Amino acid sequence: MAYDVVIRNGTVVDGSGLGSYRADVGIVGDRIAFVGRITDRGDREIDADGHVVSPGFIDGHTHMDAQVFWDATGSSSCWHGVTSAVMGNCGFTLAPVRSDERALVVRNLERAEDMDPTALAEGIEWSFETFPEYLDAVDRLPKGINFAANIGHSALRTWAMGERAFDSEATDDDLALMRRQLADSIRAGAIGLSTSRSEHHETSDNRPVASRLASWDEVVQLVDVMGGLGSGIFEGADAAMSSPDPGERERSLTRMRALGAESQVPLTFGLVATESSGYLLDFLDEAAAVGARVIAQTHCRGISVLLSLKTKLPFDLLPSWHDLRRLPVDEQLQILSDPDRRKPFVDAAVHADYGRWTGVGAQARPPDFEGIRVYRSGLPPNPSVSDVAVERGVHPAEALIDLCVESGGDQLFIQPSRYPQDETVLLRALRHPRAVMTFSDSGAHLSQIADSSIHTHLLGHWVRDRQEFTLEEAVRMITLAPALAWGFNDRGLVRAGMAADLNVFDPETVGPAVPVLVDDLPGGGRRLEQRSHGFLATVVNGQVTIRDGVPTGTAPGRLIRSRPSGQGGNG
């Protein structure tokens, strides 16, 4: 047989969770043609001796809806082996949108997901209004990875209701319009519907995002559209599922169970594995017992905000720092390098009263110097700011300032989550058969969060360093498991006939690098980029997209369209 690509001498970890084995992998076109011993030469050969050959990784929770227009590579996800990503989560999408009301879509995105409004304005070719038109626009774009797209509830509401979406419940006419657009979108290939009811999601003018104004009946009626079509997944959670009030929490869980059982639409939501959240894992099994399919999206290290002089610092909360932080970075560094000029700022940082902070989401917040880590290594451990302060014999606030100055403003710090994960609950979640390790948020919080690396963190930390999972178990968690959850029928396994989305990596070195700040967004905006170690090659739809950490310039990624019952599978 004539092969376009042959990957030779690798150890195949095929995504099934079964044991690895040594084999060659032959690719013809965009498909895996054969797995076994191959004697024929391929047009392109990759020697994978000493490396693992796995399916491409799948990320079920991203926000790359806008980035796909200006970044053909799919960074930073592409650097961590992700070959397919689901975008349009949390109710935030660019469409549907009326051409004279694009500001309403931007309002939903720019604060809740930390998206640069200049990049949105300059980087997107607004050639669409309806969601099917948006899908067609994405389909035409060059893409280094595959994308599937949810339609967002907030965008659906602003399209149907205009400004009323931010302060009113929908009328019957509004809801009928939304239901028709949703049905058209699912028929056109939308993977599902997403929403947000989270208090952390606010607009740039300090109001709840549009989906938070929806009644529960509105949610039910929209999900029923997908149930009637026999297609689609519902991403989102009722806000009270995490309420501290047991009665309110149980009412919320009850209606989520009923929604899943009555609609027969799969439901998925993000689960932060805090010490008190184990009941949500029990809920997955309780929902299954009444006929609902509910899938939790778990993280593998905790969602942390990254701080730096060039982005945000805890001291941004202090009035005495406001004028300094408005200056160009070079001028800030000059002032903070001068013993006399820096003294009032150090004193303010050391003696500040942070008690009046009322921020939400990923905004700056009071410093926990024991918890804030100095980002020196892509994998743990990293020293705390307090550790460095003890070494230097200074206050932790001064140590943080010194680290900023010494690095020219580039040093990053890991601010711990407001909702720290409990390791026991986290490991239970990662092992749960109704949970999927995903939730990177790639494409959002571009200057604050760098979680595209959760897949390589899993492999480097939990497999190699901690040995909590076998390599076979971990690869299944980020390949076949999400493929099954989101209905990607031809991805997630190294098998003949499957899409040729593959990674070739060294299990002894794979892991995330330390992120860096780059100013390459449309309009010159700043974002975090995080690369990785240990990858020999990534293949998407049969074409090598990255070799030895360098993009090849190919863009074989596709839009993965779902199909309602009777219309065939996705591809």
Side-chain angles (χ1 to χ4, degrees):
M1 180 182 290
Y3 294 101
D4 296 314
V5 180
V6 174
I7 303 173
R8 295 192 185 278
N9 306 317
T11 298
V12 174
V13 178
D14 66 7
S16 69
L18 298 175
S20 60
Y21 56 93
R22 192 172 178 86
D24 306 326
V25 179
I27 299 169
V28 176
D30 62 355
R31 297 280 146 177
I32 298 170
F34 185 76
V35 182
R37 185 181 181 188
I38 297 174
T39 57
D40 296 321
R41 298 289 296 175
D43 291 342
R44 183 165 190 169
E45 296 265 335
I46 298 175
D47 184 1
D49 186 34
H51 291 74
V52 163
V53 182
S54 78
F57 306 154
I58 297 171
D59 191 343
H61 193 113
T62 79
H63 292 276
M64 301 178 79
D65 315 61
Q67 182 180 329
V68 68
F69 283 89
W70 63 74
D71 173 20
T73 65
S75 172
S76 292
S77 297
C78 64
W79 307 123
H80 299 273
V82 171
T83 57
S84 297
V86 179
M87 56 188 180
N89 288 284
C90 302
F92 306 127
T93 51
L94 298 179
V97 59
R98 301 192 186 278
S99 58
D100 59 347
E101 292 184 327
R102 292 171 187 155
L104 302 184
V105 166
V106 172
R107 187 187 300 167
N108 280 320
L109 290 168
E110 60 184 344
R111 181 177 180 189
E113 298 300 336
D114 183 35
M115 290 194 182
D116 185 334
T118 302
L120 294 175
E122 297 189 14
I124 298 170
E125 181 182 346
W126 296 89
S127 60
F128 50 85
E129 288 200 359
T130 67
F131 199 78
E133 290 170 347
Y134 170 79
L135 292 176
D136 290 342
V138 172
D139 213 351
R140 292 190 297 267
L141 293 169
K143 297 172 288 294
I145 65 175
N146 305 304
F147 291 99
N150 292 303
I151 178 173
H153 190 187
S154 282
L156 195 58
R157 291 190 106 240
T158 54
W159 176 79
M161 301 171 62
E163 283 283 353
R164 289 187 297 111
F166 296 100
D167 55 33
S168 303
E169 291 191 4
T171 65
D172 290 345
D173 288 343
D174 295 331
L175 189 52
L177 195 58
M178 284 190 271
R179 283 170 58 90
R180 286 196 298 272
Q181 176 68 192
L182 174 58
D184 289 345
S185 302
I186 297 297
R187 291 190 186 100
I191 201 78
L193 168 72
S194 70
T195 194
S196 172
R197 302 174 77 80
S198 169
E199 64 182 5
H200 298 296
H201 284 154
E202 292 186 350
T203 64
S204 51
D205 56 355
N206 300 316
R207 293 191 287 173
V209 295
S211 61
R212 288 177 57 192
L213 277 295
S215 67
W216 186 251
D217 181 65
E218 178 181 321
V219 172
V220 171
Q221 290 204 47
L222 291 174
V223 172
D224 280 346
V225 170
M226 296 190 291
L229 292 169
S231 182
I233 187 169
F234 176 61
E235 187 272 327
D238 192 17
M241 285 173 63
S242 300
S243 171
D245 181 327
E248 187 177 355
R249 187 171 67 217
E250 184 51 40
R251 285 190 293 273
S252 178
L253 294 172
T254 297
R255 68 184 190 179
M256 282 286 284
R257 278 193 296 267
L259 177 64
E262 293 168 10
S263 70
Q264 286 297 289
V265 171
L267 314 180
T268 183
F269 67 94
L271 187 152
V272 180
T274 62
E275 186 176 9
S276 62
S277 67
Y279 71 91
L280 289 171
L281 295 172
D282 298 331
F283 163 70
L284 302 177
D285 298 325
E286 294 162 359
V290 299
R293 185 184 182 204
V294 185
I295 302 159
Q297 301 176 26
T298 68
H299 211 275
C300 69
R301 67 179 176 208
I303 301 169
S304 300
V305 174
L306 300 187
L307 309 171
S308 77
L309 184 77
K310 291 183 176 180
T311 52
K312 292 184 178 181
L313 289 173
F315 315 134
D316 296 351
L317 301 169
L318 307 180
S320 57
W321 274 68
H322 289 176
D323 288 342
L324 173 72
R325 296 294 279 146
R326 293 188 187 101
L327 298 174
V329 170
D330 288 347
E331 292 184 35
Q332 294 183 51
L333 289 168
Q334 289 175 9
I335 292 170
L336 295 175
S337 299
D338 184 295
D340 295 328
R341 298 171 72 193
R342 78 187 231 133
K343 187 177 185 306
F345 299 104
V346 172
D347 289 345
V350 168
H351 300 296
D353 175 12
Y354 295 97
R356 291 176 292 176
W357 174 77
T358 57
V360 298
Q363 294 180 319
R365 66 175 190 263
D368 168 14
F369 294 117
E370 292 284 349
I372 296 175
R373 301 280 159 179
V374 183
Y375 212 154
R376 291 176 175 170
S377 170
L379 292 173
N382 280 296
S384 72
V385 172
S386 289
D387 293 336
V388 174
V390 169
E391 292 174 0
R392 299 184 176 204
V394 297
H395 189 277
E398 186 165 9
L400 194 152
I401 293 167
D402 288 341
L403 289 166
C404 289
V405 171
E406 291 161 10
S407 65
D410 290 327
Q411 178 65 60
L412 296 172
F413 305 89
I414 305 169
Q415 177 173 264
S417 172
R418 292 177 66 197
Y419 306 101
Q421 298 203 105
D422 176 80
E423 185 171 298
T424 300
V425 178
L426 174 59
L427 288 170
R428 182 186 167 204
L430 291 172
R431 293 189 171 104
H432 198 286
R434 295 187 172 94
V436 176
M437 203 299 290
T438 186
F439 214 171
S440 76
D441 253 10
S442 296
H445 310 293
L446 295 180
S447 65
Q448 300 175 350
I449 295 174
D451 282 352
S452 298
S453 57
I454 56 175
H455 301 81
T456 49
H457 182 91
L458 176 72
L459 298 174
H461 180 67
W462 291 113
V463 174
R464 186 175 63 243
D465 294 346
R466 292 288 303 276
Q467 299 183 12
E468 290 285 349
F469 301 95
T470 67
L471 184 58
E472 291 87 348
E473 288 171 334
V475 166
R476 185 186 189 281
M477 289 162 62
I478 53 181
T479 57
L480 182 60
L484 293 172
W486 277 273
F488 298 161
N489 301 323
D490 60 351
R491 289 174 165 82
L493 286 170
V494 182
R495 291 279 193 279
M498 302 292 279
D501 293 350
L502 300 164
N503 284 315
V504 184
F505 64 88
D506 180 354
E508 297 302 318
T509 61
V510 68
V514 176
V516 295
L517 288 161
V518 294
D519 298 329
D520 64 355
L521 291 177
R526 179 166 292 159
R527 70 180 178 97
L528 288 157
E529 182 180 55
Q530 186 170 25
R531 300 215 176 191
S532 64
H533 307 294
F535 282 89
L536 180 64
T538 295
V539 178
V540 176
N541 294 316
Q543 296 188 40
V544 178
T545 54
I546 300 174
R547 183 67 192 264
D548 295 317
V550 179
T552 63
T554 60
R558 294 177 183 164
L559 176 68
I560 301 175
R561 296 183 189 251
S562 67
R563 289 289 180 261
S565 298
Q567 293 190 24
N570 52 43

